[in-house]
Amino acid sequence: METLIRLGFALGIFALMITWEVLSPRRTQSQHRQRRWSINLGLAAFNMLVMRVSIGSLAYLSAVNASEQSIGLLNLVAVPEWLAIIITLLFLDMAIYCQHIVSHRWSLLWRLHQVHHTDLVFDTTTAVCFHPLEIVISMGYKVLCITIIGANPWAVLAFEVLLNGAALFNHSNINLPLTVDKVIRTVLVTPDMHRIHHSTDAVEYNSNYGFCLSCWDKVFNTYNAEPKQPHTTMDIGLTPYRDPQALGFIALLLLPFKAVRR
Ligand SMILES: [Zn+2]
């Protein structure tokens, strides 16, 4: 049931974003859609298989376990359920923000995370283009955070749905009016905000680490409001990896085990 809820929301939001991108795109895409989508969706399908048969429900189950065993902060202190849910959502979103920073600064984790940044185009399929080992490590980290905080199981499920939905939204190539972007950006990470994180410019890809709430970048001083180049023409991806033919499905799976190009 929990898997169905997560998958249903993810597929629904994915279909919505793809349709929106086609009807009203922000940027003209430079690469042939078919090849990129087959690589990104291939990785997504591979990850889904890995996750489904192994660790897909671990986040939710670890919250159920923590609550049954009375482990973790929120299970030890008497807190109203609504407050426990808000604390869980905020804590997990901040934890993912911190993990993202470490993924850029620690070279071992960067080997995995660079796979996500090699995409030369920025659209909603970029949101599902991750190395499977990064997904596994992220799940281990999430389980640890959930156990420490004693997260409410329903809040964990809501967080998984929100995080997936937010990632699909903020990687999308939708043409959001600037005034609407400005309003949404006061609370959530928008596509214009996250696109800066996928710039080839080192200052820019080391900013805007947030995935869901925009506040963490503003609070911890990693917020970058505008790219140096216009959004419609700025270069996306990583400077050492500019040949799309060299970044096929197998090449991306092997990339973390090769020398890092800077
Ligand atoms: Zn990143």
Side-chain angles (χ1 to χ4, degrees):
M1 182 65 181
E2 172 264 345
T3 308
L4 271 180
I5 293 174
R6 274 191 297 121
L7 205 62
F9 271 102
L11 289 176
I13 296 169
F14 185 71
L16 181 72
M17 287 302 138
I18 294 268
T19 311
W20 194 343
E21 283 178 341
V22 171
L23 295 176
S24 177
R26 176 79 156 110
R27 289 159 54 99
T28 311
Q29 303 294 40
S30 55
Q31 267 194 65
H32 203 277
R33 193 173 276 161
Q34 205 177 346
R35 179 179 158 78
R36 268 195 62 253
W37 280 22
S38 59
I39 294 169
N40 290 359
L41 296 180
L43 267 177
F46 187 80
N47 288 334
M48 229 177 265
L49 271 179
V50 171
M51 298 293 278
R52 276 295 296 277
V53 298
S54 56
I55 56 171
S57 298
L58 270 185
Y60 177 74
L61 292 177
S62 62
V64 172
N65 180 58
S67 134
E68 284 173 357
Q69 308 284 328
S70 293
I71 303 169
L73 222 59
L74 293 171
N75 290 316
L76 297 174
V77 185
V79 183
E81 195 170 19
W82 63 268
L83 187 58
I85 290 174
I86 292 174
I87 292 173
T88 297
L89 291 174
L90 288 174
F91 176 76
L92 289 180
D93 196 48
M94 191 182 76
I96 298 293
Y97 163 85
C98 295
Q99 181 201 1
H100 194 183
I101 291 188
V102 175
S103 299
H104 276 247
R105 308 260 162 99
W106 187 12
S107 61
L108 264 179
L109 289 182
W110 173 251
R111 281 175 176 268
L112 298 172
H113 187 61
Q114 65 175 344
V115 170
H116 178 61
H117 279 265
T118 53
D119 201 342
L120 300 173
V121 177
F122 182 82
D123 70 14
T124 205
T125 69
T126 311
V128 291
C129 173
F130 281 96
H131 195 281
L133 272 179
E134 183 170 17
I135 305 270
V136 172
I137 289 172
S138 292
M139 183 55 89
Y141 172 71
K142 223 184 285 174
V143 165
L144 182 70
C145 293
I146 287 166
T147 308
I148 289 171
I149 194 81
N152 178 295
W154 289 108
V156 170
L157 179 58
F159 178 73
E160 296 270 87
V161 169
L162 275 175
L163 189 69
N164 278 335
L168 291 168
F169 167 71
N170 64 41
H171 284 87
S172 69
N173 185 39
I174 59 172
N175 192 16
L176 214 55
L178 294 181
T179 44
V180 177
D181 177 287
K182 212 172 167 186
V183 173
I184 298 177
R185 204 187 280 209
T186 55
V187 181
L188 296 173
V189 176
T190 63
D192 272 9
M193 182 176 161
H194 195 66
R195 188 179 300 104
I196 298 169
H197 181 72
H198 281 259
S199 160
T200 52
D201 183 283
V203 174
E204 292 179 352
Y205 72 67
N206 284 310
S207 67
N208 296 2
Y209 293 101
F211 263 115
C212 188
L213 296 174
S214 59
C215 59
W216 311 121
D217 280 300
K218 291 167 186 167
V219 169
F220 297 112
N221 209 21
T222 52
Y223 178 59
N224 192 341
E226 281 300 322
K228 291 168 191 158
Q229 302 296 322
H231 273 289
T232 47
T233 54
M234 64 185 276
D235 285 330
I236 301 291
L238 296 173
T239 305
Y241 302 98
R242 304 310 298 167
D243 177 11
Q245 299 305 319
L247 294 170
F249 180 75
I250 301 294
L252 284 180
L253 285 181
L254 296 176
L255 193 63
F257 308 103
K258 301 198 166 156
V260 175
R261 296 190 211 161
R262 290 281 183 182

